[in-house]
Amino acid sequence: MKERHCAVAESYGALLYCNTFTQRQVKFVTASREFAQRLVKLFKKAFGLEFDHIAQGAAGAKSILSIETPDKLRQIFAAFDADIDATPIHHINLGVLEEACCKVSFLRGAFLAGGSVTAPEKRFHLELVTGHYSVSRECYSLLLELGFSPRESARGGNSILYFKQADAISELLTTLGASNKGMEVISAKIEKSMSNTVNRKLNCDFANADKVVTAAQEQLNAIKKVDKALGLTELPDGLQQAAFLRIANPEASLADLALLSDPPVTKSCLNHRLKKLMELAKKV
């Protein structure tokens, strides 16, 4: 808010996304004490005006700031080249937003008045809500001009622009001056990505472990059949050793059993011997 024209632009965005902006009243209702304090300074710099009424809420309660004085309202409308005596159809007068800094300031005001961000640890979602459809459409074009691609929706008679991509949300917040919040979104994205990777690996490990246990149990059942029918001591040395190793290590993987062999053999070799035992079990 270094220059007056940026203060006017930010006020413009806040007004078009606030609770009430008519010929008779301007009213902001906000749970953010910081935004309420910013509005007081903003209107002083942009219009040289003070709010008629400021009801400062207690901690956690909402604050209400309003203006009803006709001369003040006329001055506000005039700052945006809007005719207060005409039927109010709200549009964005892009002539007020010629500079790039003013466009960003406008979006900052719009976001402070009508925006919200879901806690990134829950999900990624940022939205701008206004009751003026034409304003929402024009704000959409403004965001496109600045390199952002919002989605559009409607809810309860309001027009909504929203983002669900963490990168876009982070970049927009940083552009609006909330770089620390942008970093929080990126950090949450990284944490979620790492968590998903770990979960996928664990699920994969569990699935592999289940396969090892199932295969080992099938091998043990086959060995018992062969032992009962023929006796393990009657088997060739390689098959005999594989059978005893499996009995002694029912949960070991093929790679582990191969290393335990004396002398050590390859995993493929041990697998071949166990398959031989299973084929023998089927025959007997």
Side-chain angles (χ1 to χ4, degrees):
M1 202 163 55
K2 294 180 180 180
E3 304 292 340
R4 179 179 175 274
H5 55 80
C6 285
V8 171
E10 186 172 332
S11 300
Y12 197 16
L15 285 163
L16 290 175
Y17 275 80
C18 74
N19 300 82
T20 304
F21 180 32
T22 67
Q23 298 155 305
R24 296 184 177 182
Q25 185 186 50
V26 164
K27 184 168 73 173
F28 292 87
V29 180
T30 176
S32 170
R33 180 162 296 213
E34 292 80 4
F35 179 44
Q37 294 171 346
R38 184 177 181 85
L39 280 170
V40 173
K41 297 177 182 178
L42 195 63
F43 271 56
K44 187 71 174 177
K45 185 162 189 175
F47 314 115
L49 298 177
E50 294 182 355
F51 284 91
D52 292 334
H53 305 285
I54 300 177
Q56 193 78 42
K62 292 183 178 181
S63 299
I64 301 174
L65 301 88
S66 63
I67 294 175
E68 292 89 15
T69 303
D71 288 344
K72 291 183 179 180
L73 293 171
R74 188 174 294 277
Q75 187 174 338
I76 291 171
F77 271 76
F80 311 125
D81 292 328
D83 186 358
I84 194 172
D85 297 318
T87 302
I89 301 175
H90 291 308
H91 287 279
I92 299 175
N93 180 0
L94 295 177
V96 182
L97 311 176
E98 291 183 353
E99 302 293 333
C101 57
C102 289
K103 293 173 183 176
V104 171
S105 295
F106 174 88
L107 290 172
R108 183 187 304 115
F111 176 73
L112 289 172
S116 63
V117 183
T118 302
E121 60 269 16
K122 296 180 180 178
R123 62 191 176 103
F124 299 116
H125 185 87
L126 180 151
E127 66 179 30
L128 284 168
V129 182
T130 178
H132 311 299
Y133 174 74
S134 56
V135 170
S136 187
R137 290 295 301 152
E138 291 156 359
C139 190
Y140 177 91
S141 298
L142 188 59
L143 283 163
L144 286 179
E145 184 180 338
L146 294 176
F148 298 97
S149 301
R151 299 179 184 179
E152 295 181 279
S153 182
R155 183 174 63 236
N158 291 320
S159 297
I160 301 168
L161 301 178
Y162 67 95
F163 296 87
K164 286 187 175 294
Q165 303 83 16
D167 292 342
I169 293 172
S170 175
E171 185 178 351
L172 179 58
L173 290 174
T174 301
T175 300
L176 298 182
S179 55
N180 57 332
K181 294 297 182 183
M183 285 303 299
E184 286 180 16
V185 173
I186 290 299
S187 296
K189 178 187 177 183
I190 293 171
E191 288 178 10
K192 283 187 177 181
S193 177
M194 291 177 64
S195 177
N196 290 338
T197 300
V198 170
N199 287 337
R200 282 195 297 270
K201 189 175 187 310
L202 286 174
N203 290 337
C204 183
D205 289 345
F206 287 142
N208 289 337
D210 287 342
K211 289 179 181 178
V212 169
V213 171
T214 300
Q217 188 59 53
E218 291 175 353
Q219 292 159 5
L220 285 169
N221 292 337
I223 291 169
K224 288 178 183 178
K225 289 183 180 180
V226 172
D227 185 28
K228 185 176 181 180
L230 305 175
L232 297 182
T233 55
E234 300 300 320
L235 298 175
D237 289 345
L239 295 184
Q240 186 180 142
Q241 185 183 61
F244 283 123
L245 280 173
R246 174 50 80 198
I247 292 171
N249 304 277
E251 296 181 358
S253 66
L254 290 177
D256 292 336
L257 289 181
L259 291 175
L260 290 172
S261 300
D262 186 19
V265 297
T266 64
K267 176 181 173 182
S268 176
C269 177
L270 184 66
N271 185 45
H272 178 72
R273 291 175 179 178
L274 289 171
K275 282 186 176 180
K276 281 282 188 182
L277 285 168
M278 295 181 73
E279 290 171 2
L280 188 56
K282 288 180 182 179
K283 293 179 182 179
V284 300

